[in-house]
Amino acid sequence: NNLFHHIFVMHFPPFNHSKSRYERKFVVNDMHYHEIIQHIRNNRAAFSGLYEPRYINNIYFDTNDIDYFYDNISGKGSRKKARIRWYGELMGNVSTPVLEFKLREGMVGNKISFPLKPFTLDNKFTGELINNIIRESNLPNWAESVMLMLKPALLNRYHRQYFISFNNEFRLTLDDELTYYGMHSGVNNFMEKHNDNSVIVELKYDTKFDGYESAHITNEIPFRLSKSSKYVNGFEFTHPSIAT
């Protein structure tokens, strides 16, 4: 893990707060979907729809000792994440997958992405197939080295709706229909599905916009602020013995 951390940190772009963004997450468990939308539209930021809603799919990765998971639940200030993301259907041909590395300091995050070669997600999908995808995708050497040290840990899917403020400075996403599937390096049959009835609202904005306006916008979001991630929530669903 020390070697992995060294490679990741040494090659990840420097954490420049002026080019980073705040990502404030809110969890909603006790409100109907249309009520949540109404609160969003009533906010002083005058949020309106941005993009067509779509389904997002992710394969999350972790170390052999699941350090990412433990870093999150322990409240560690600096946290890392590696995932493969694609849009649309969950199973079958994945034509435009993207490898994403995220580095967070508190509530501020940076992200770097690389396109991957297409693959098929089915019941024959294994960690070795992922490694082959990584080797054949023309990644920077450091990114390939990091990924070959990690293991698939979770598959998840959710529906996302996008909003943008009237001044175009604040973005907000609303995620529901969250589902999780456990993953490992062997053959994955994806038969065991875990549903999460929570709704995740996330406010995102460049650090240069942090201040009086962002505070008032945040204060008008009447949901519970949370530091937990979909990866942590999904891992707890699919690995209850470890989570406890």
Side-chain angles (χ1 to χ4, degrees):
N1 183 49
N2 288 336
L3 176 60
F4 161 76
H5 178 80
H6 174 76
I7 294 174
F8 192 107
V9 174
M10 287 297 294
H11 291 90
F12 198 90
F15 202 95
N16 185 340
H17 281 263
S18 66
K19 295 183 179 180
S20 303
R21 68 180 185 180
Y22 277 96
E23 300 176 343
R24 301 187 184 276
K25 295 182 180 179
F26 304 84
V27 179
V28 191
N29 294 310
D30 55 357
M31 191 177 296
H32 292 297
Y33 190 84
H34 73 275
E35 293 180 88
I36 300 172
I37 297 289
Q38 194 61 47
H39 279 292
I40 291 171
R41 296 195 180 278
N42 288 342
N43 192 284
R44 69 172 61 207
F47 287 107
S48 59
L50 175 70
Y51 310 135
E52 287 295 317
R54 58 185 175 179
Y55 283 92
I56 297 178
N57 312 290
N58 301 283
I59 297 173
Y60 289 95
F61 295 81
D62 212 323
T63 65
N64 285 328
D65 296 324
I66 54 175
D67 295 287
Y68 288 0
F69 174 77
Y70 287 123
D71 284 351
N72 270 274
I73 63 174
S74 67
K76 187 174 180 180
S78 179
R79 303 182 300 281
K80 300 174 288 293
K81 182 184 297 180
R83 68 188 178 203
I84 296 175
R85 168 168 289 190
W86 68 99
Y87 302 98
E89 295 298 324
L90 176 66
M91 306 298 289
N93 182 52
V94 179
S95 58
T96 54
V98 176
L99 172 64
E100 296 183 345
F101 294 104
K102 295 193 72 175
L103 185 63
R104 289 176 62 91
E105 298 283 353
M107 290 188 176
V108 181
N110 275 352
K111 180 171 70 174
I112 186 170
S113 304
F114 303 100
L116 295 177
K117 65 170 292 187
F119 62 85
T120 298
L121 184 68
D122 57 21
N123 290 341
K124 299 177 182 178
F125 201 70
T126 65
E128 185 55 39
L129 287 175
I130 293 176
N131 288 343
N132 290 337
I133 293 164
I134 296 301
R135 294 187 185 101
E136 297 169 9
S137 291
N138 196 30
L139 296 172
N141 289 337
W142 73 266
E144 180 177 326
S145 296
V146 166
M147 289 304 297
L148 293 179
M149 285 188 245
L150 300 178
K151 306 295 183 184
L154 181 76
L155 171 67
N156 88 329
R157 173 180 172 82
Y158 48 90
H159 181 263
R160 170 165 288 182
Q161 191 164 347
Y162 300 82
F163 299 88
I164 189 143
S165 64
F166 182 76
N167 61 10
N168 294 323
E169 294 175 354
F170 297 86
R171 290 181 57 188
L172 188 145
T173 56
L174 191 156
D175 299 335
D176 70 327
E177 299 182 41
L178 281 73
T179 56
Y180 304 102
Y181 304 80
M183 284 195 73
H184 48 79
S185 294
V187 176
N188 293 274
N189 58 25
F190 305 117
M191 292 296 292
E192 188 173 350
K193 176 180 177 181
H194 300 265
N195 296 312
D196 183 353
N197 294 323
S198 301
V199 176
I200 308 297
V201 176
E202 189 166 0
L203 180 67
K204 308 172 186 182
Y205 56 94
D206 291 348
T207 53
K208 63 184 178 182
F209 297 131
D210 192 42
Y212 177 85
E213 184 178 8
S214 64
H216 279 276
I217 292 172
T218 302
N219 288 339
E220 289 185 7
I221 298 176
F223 315 130
R224 177 172 59 87
L225 187 65
S226 174
K227 292 183 179 180
S228 67
S229 70
K230 295 185 184 70
Y231 172 56
V232 169
N233 295 340
F235 197 88
E236 290 177 340
F237 269 110
T238 55
H239 299 81
S241 60
I242 294 178
T244 56

